Amino acid sequence: MKILLVDDDDLLIKVLTRNLATHHYVVDVVKDGEMGWTYSSTFEYDLIVLDIMLPKLDGISLCKRLRAQGYTVPILLLTAQDNITAKVQGLDAGADDYVVKPFDTIELIARIRALLRRGSNNPFPLLTWGDLLLNPSTCEVTYNSRPLNLTTMEYDLLELLLRNCQHVFSTEELLDKLWSSEEFPSGATVRSHIRRVRHKLVAVGAPHDFIATMHGRGYYLKAASTEESTTQSAIPAVNNAADDSQIALSLGDSPKYSPPDDSQQQYLAFLNETWKTTKPKSLDDLTILLQAVRDLQTNQLKPQQQEQAQQVAHKLAGNLGIFGLSKTMHTARQLEYWLGGREPLQPKHAPLVKTLVMALQQDIEQTTEIKLSQVPNGHSPLLLIVSSDIEFNHSLEPVAASRGIRIQIAPILENMAKALLTRDSVFDNLDQNPDIILLHFPSITSELYTHQVSNFWETLQILAQRYPDLPIVVISDRNELCDRLEAMRRGGKLFLTAPIPPEEVIDTAVNLLRGTEITKKVMILDDDQDWLQTLPTLLKPWGFKVTTLADPQQFWTVLEAVTPDALVLDVNMPQINGFEVCQILRSDPHWQRLPVLFLSVLTDLASQNQAFTVGADDYLCKPVKGVELANRILRRLQRVKAWAS
């Protein structure tokens, strides 16, 4: 599979191209947007990995230009911009996915595999054809359970044929897709590789014409026999649970790809060799930060200098994350946070900024070797608990330890929101960025009711702004719809009702990354009464049990009473719109995997993108035929059931 990487960060290019090559991807690299346009419009690619901040033509503009020209290849945005605005702009421009630097390589590769599957004729995680099985996650190939030892190019050739098993590939197509634009092999090279793969397949029991030749056209996989076809169709159903995006984000005993020991050691050696050149460059960059500190102390720091220093801290954070230096990266992130404020820094801020710069310099200087434990290969997740309830906090510790989750606790202060705005040290001393935040709503006393509630909601909002990519779980004994809505609007991800057993709290944290099992009734929320009366009749032939609701204020009560297997939402409704309803739904762990389909008169792309952003699984435009709606629901239920099996 061939990928175009458009990025101007030399370190990231070096590390990422090596990782992609390890997973058998052919990579072309260009360093500015105009060259990205030239290459993408000249050569054929299966995927484009695109940075946003690029010379000559930025990534968002390039993405828009490609989509405007009918370019349908998947585009993955890989950028250090982690704010919501940038993500929305990227997805609205036509990107298929968005990954923030620094990233976990395992997750990125899994996301790439998932995007490539969507564009292929074989949507399953394991590629099969008769008795041949190829696992892209581990790069293992077997025929009738017997392993095939393939070279990189032989593997790439076989994977391409499997992903497009109904296609006849000409020699020119294979040259285009399997070799980079800098290589110029001849047609004889393709024939040589075809011949070697055939010989290896025959050696493990495959028929001689497993890879067949259509004279004058090219090469294809010969159709399996009836018996083989039955085997082929059965395999994906068994292995559907191995979805790459879930593997990359799993916890506990869920399946997870881990490179062989020798591969890890080779990658570790590669990182250490790269660190030899990256370390002095990073220390050179620190001179800009040190000069900014000196100018700040004398009140001579200019806005342009502050902006340059912020960009240096931003770059350092991304580079340090590549080497797994999470603590040092966190220091750089804190420094970037201070330097990137809306208001210019004042001399009174100099001691704090200097402390962060000196800590950053010391950590970089003392890092003489990248250790195996630092190599990004998953980590014990950190749960940050913001709670003043000592008994509640202690009850979570043994359960979290048994699930492999570490805990750090920050008490809720009387003026918590103010403390966060001034970068309270409790949050600056974490040994790694948290993976999940748990915010425990304290018991409210009547005399301080308004102040305490306001402090809690402001705390939630500031935490969501400070950690925009982290799920925040809210626990409260206030179980009204208005509280759930407020929690969602302030940035909460999940909402749990107290009292709640500690096992359920920790399992909720685990399920945020592992996913939950889905159980088949249909609930429809729409304020159009005539439409609601029509829908049960339209869906009756398919045997659905339909519950309709016109008042969104009653949504939560009806939802818990019905426990539907699929939910159909309108967008424009009074008081609470469909997007907000969907966000409320996704804020509760019990409804994280409930299929949600939007059915709306809004046909614009922005509305559809917003629906998917808030957690929708599908989007249909009114008017819609009953057969189309029913089939969309059935396909979603069947897919969910298959993944859960």
Side-chain angles (χ1 to χ4, degrees):
M1 308 296 281
K2 196 170 181 179
I3 295 175
L4 175 63
L5 173 60
V6 189
D7 202 300
D8 62 340
D9 187 328
D10 290 331
L11 174 61
L12 182 137
I13 290 171
K14 183 175 182 180
V15 173
L16 188 53
T17 51
R18 185 193 186 281
N19 277 288
L20 290 171
T22 301
H23 287 80
H24 299 282
Y25 295 112
V26 180
V27 183
D28 280 347
V29 177
V30 293
K31 295 186 176 182
D32 65 73
E34 287 294 349
M35 285 301 294
W37 166 254
T38 300
Y39 268 61
S40 57
S41 57
T42 304
F43 304 105
E44 287 191 16
Y45 296 99
D46 299 288
L47 175 77
I48 296 178
V49 178
L50 180 62
D51 191 12
I52 288 182
M53 300 297 292
L54 289 169
K56 298 183 181 180
L57 181 68
D58 67 88
I60 298 293
S61 300
L62 175 56
C63 191
K64 288 180 178 179
R65 185 189 291 185
L66 289 169
R67 294 309 188 210
Q69 294 297 317
Y71 199 84
T72 59
V73 167
I75 297 175
L76 184 150
L77 289 178
L78 184 62
T79 175
Q81 295 190 5
D82 60 355
N83 59 78
I84 297 298
T85 301
K87 293 180 181 179
V88 172
Q89 288 178 343
L91 295 172
D92 284 348
D96 299 276
D97 203 352
Y98 191 111
V99 176
V100 178
K101 303 174 187 175
F103 51 86
D104 188 317
T105 304
I106 297 173
E107 179 184 350
L108 177 65
I109 298 297
R111 287 178 180 271
I112 287 174
R113 284 196 297 266
L115 288 175
L116 290 172
R117 281 203 309 273
R118 292 177 199 173
S120 75
N121 294 325
N122 190 336
F124 299 108
L126 300 185
L127 305 178
T128 63
W129 189 256
D131 291 327
L132 180 68
L133 186 148
L134 185 148
N135 187 344
S137 300
T138 60
C139 299
E140 295 174 326
V141 185
T142 62
Y143 185 89
N144 198 17
S145 300
R146 297 177 64 183
L148 271 80
N149 296 317
L150 304 173
T151 66
T152 296
M153 189 55 68
E154 291 167 356
Y155 174 94
D156 295 344
L157 172 61
L158 199 53
E159 182 186 13
L160 180 63
L161 292 173
L162 280 166
R163 288 192 182 277
N164 303 271
C165 47
Q166 304 297 327
H167 184 74
V168 179
F169 282 97
S170 68
T171 300
E172 290 73 20
E173 284 181 292
L174 293 175
L175 286 171
D176 258 351
K177 290 183 175 293
L178 297 178
W179 279 267
S180 75
S181 58
E182 297 178 356
E183 299 174 288
F184 302 96
S186 65
T189 304
V190 172
R191 292 190 291 274
S192 175
H193 280 87
I194 291 284
R195 185 168 57 252
R196 288 203 297 268
V197 174
R198 281 172 172 164
H199 288 165
K200 291 183 178 181
L201 284 167
V202 169
V204 293
H208 289 270
D209 57 350
F210 192 90
I211 299 178
T213 301
M214 183 178 290
H215 294 288
R217 292 283 304 280
Y219 306 96
Y220 65 99
L221 293 180
K222 183 182 178 182
S225 65
T226 304
E227 182 179 352
E228 288 175 328
S229 298
T230 304
T231 304
Q232 176 204 347
S233 61
I235 290 176
V238 175
N239 292 296
N240 277 349
D243 176 64
D244 293 317
S245 59
Q246 292 299 320
I247 291 174
L249 300 173
S250 62
L251 284 172
D253 55 2
S254 296
K256 187 166 186 177
Y257 169 68
S258 179
D261 291 341
D262 57 342
S263 297
Q264 276 203 18
Q265 292 295 340
Q266 291 174 11
Y267 186 55
L268 181 63
F270 165 74
L271 287 181
N272 273 294
E273 188 64 30
T274 306
W275 179 245
K276 291 179 182 178
T277 56
T278 302
K279 179 178 178 178
K281 289 180 181 178
S282 299
L283 292 173
D284 286 344
D285 289 338
L286 281 172
T287 59
I288 298 175
L289 299 177
L290 290 168
Q291 183 60 50
V293 170
R294 289 191 289 269
D295 291 338
L296 181 59
Q297 289 171 328
T298 58
N299 199 24
Q300 295 180 352
L301 182 64
K302 298 178 181 179
Q304 297 90 336
Q305 287 178 278
Q306 182 173 331
E307 182 180 357
Q308 182 187 19
Q310 186 261 345
Q311 292 174 352
V312 168
H314 179 81
K315 178 182 177 182
L316 282 172
N319 287 347
L320 294 168
I322 289 175
F323 295 94
L325 303 172
S326 56
K327 181 182 177 183
T328 315
M329 179 194 71
H330 183 64
T331 303
R333 283 286 190 218
Q334 291 296 317
L335 189 58
E336 178 193 1
Y337 183 59
W338 272 97
L339 292 166
R342 294 182 179 179
E343 300 297 328
L345 290 174
Q346 303 297 324
K348 64 181 181 180
H349 299 131
L352 174 60
V353 177
K354 182 178 180 180
T355 299
L356 291 172
V357 174
M358 298 306 294
L360 190 59
Q361 183 179 37
Q362 182 179 2
D363 287 347
I364 293 174
E365 287 176 343
Q366 292 180 352
T367 303
T368 57
E369 180 184 11
I370 305 300
K371 299 178 181 178
L372 188 61
S373 59
Q374 296 169 333
V375 176
N377 187 30
H379 61 276
S380 180
L382 174 63
L383 171 61
L384 174 60
I385 301 176
V386 185
S387 168
S388 296
D389 189 329
I390 298 176
E391 183 178 351
F392 170 79
N393 298 341
H394 286 172
S395 70
L396 296 179
E397 291 175 351
V399 183
S402 69
R403 305 291 199 277
I405 293 179
R406 296 191 302 110
I407 282 181
Q408 286 192 243
I409 298 172
I412 294 183
L413 307 176
E414 183 178 348
N415 293 306
M416 189 69 176
K418 182 179 179 181
L420 282 169
L421 285 172
T422 56
R423 282 75 166 179
D424 186 70
S425 60
V426 130
F427 292 88
D428 293 337
N429 292 329
L430 300 176
D431 56 2
Q432 70 175 61
N433 282 331
D435 297 275
I436 305 170
I437 298 176
L438 176 65
L439 183 57
H440 188 209
F441 207 129
S443 298
I444 303 299
T445 57
S446 57
E447 62 271 16
L448 295 176
Y449 179 85
T450 303
H451 171 72
Q452 288 181 314
V453 171
S454 176
N455 183 42
F456 181 83
W457 292 131
E458 288 179 15
T459 298
L460 170 58
Q461 184 170 336
I462 294 169
L463 282 173
Q465 292 170 349
R466 188 167 187 182
Y467 300 100
D469 293 324
L470 297 187
I472 301 179
V473 181
V474 177
I475 296 185
S476 172
D477 56 5
R478 297 160 54 88
N479 191 27
E480 300 297 327
L481 180 65
C482 61
D483 294 311
R484 291 178 176 271
L485 180 60
E486 188 68 20
M488 177 275 297
R489 286 175 170 170
R490 297 277 185 161
K493 175 70 173 178
L494 302 182
F495 192 100
L496 303 178
T497 305
I500 181 172
E503 292 80 8
E504 187 173 341
V505 175
I506 299 302
D507 285 343
T508 295
V510 172
N511 287 337
L512 275 170
L513 302 180
R514 179 187 288 173
T516 55
E517 184 178 351
I518 297 182
T519 66
K520 185 175 165 187
K521 303 178 286 277
V522 177
M523 177 177 170
I524 301 173
L525 177 59
D526 196 310
D527 64 334
D528 186 338
Q529 296 280 5
D530 294 334
W531 178 244
L532 287 182
Q533 293 176 6
T534 303
L535 279 173
T537 303
L538 289 177
L539 296 176
K540 185 177 179 179
W542 287 268
F544 291 124
K545 183 177 180 181
V546 179
T547 300
T548 60
L549 177 66
D551 183 7
Q553 293 288 344
Q554 301 297 318
F555 168 73
W556 200 259
T557 302
V558 176
L559 177 78
E560 293 186 322
V562 174
T563 62
D565 299 298
L567 175 65
V568 179
L569 293 175
D570 188 20
V571 174
N572 292 328
M573 293 183 292
Q575 298 177 313
I576 305 175
N577 64 50
F579 298 141
E580 291 180 326
V581 170
C582 189
Q583 286 179 288
I584 293 173
L585 183 81
R586 296 308 191 208
S587 74
D588 191 294
H590 298 292
W591 304 108
Q592 278 286 290
R593 299 291 296 276
L594 177 70
V596 176
L597 296 85
F598 274 88
L599 185 58
S600 173
V601 296
L602 301 177
T603 60
D604 60 287
L605 185 60
S607 297
Q608 297 182 38
N609 284 335
Q610 187 174 355
F612 289 114
T613 299
V614 299
D617 299 284
D618 206 344
Y619 191 105
L620 293 88
C621 299
K622 297 179 182 177
V624 64
K625 294 181 180 179
V627 62
E628 182 181 2
L629 177 59
N631 284 333
R632 293 286 189 101
I633 296 172
L634 285 171
R635 282 202 297 270
R636 181 57 54 182
L637 291 173
Q638 290 167 356
R639 182 178 179 186
V640 167
K641 183 178 179 180
W643 287 120
S645 61

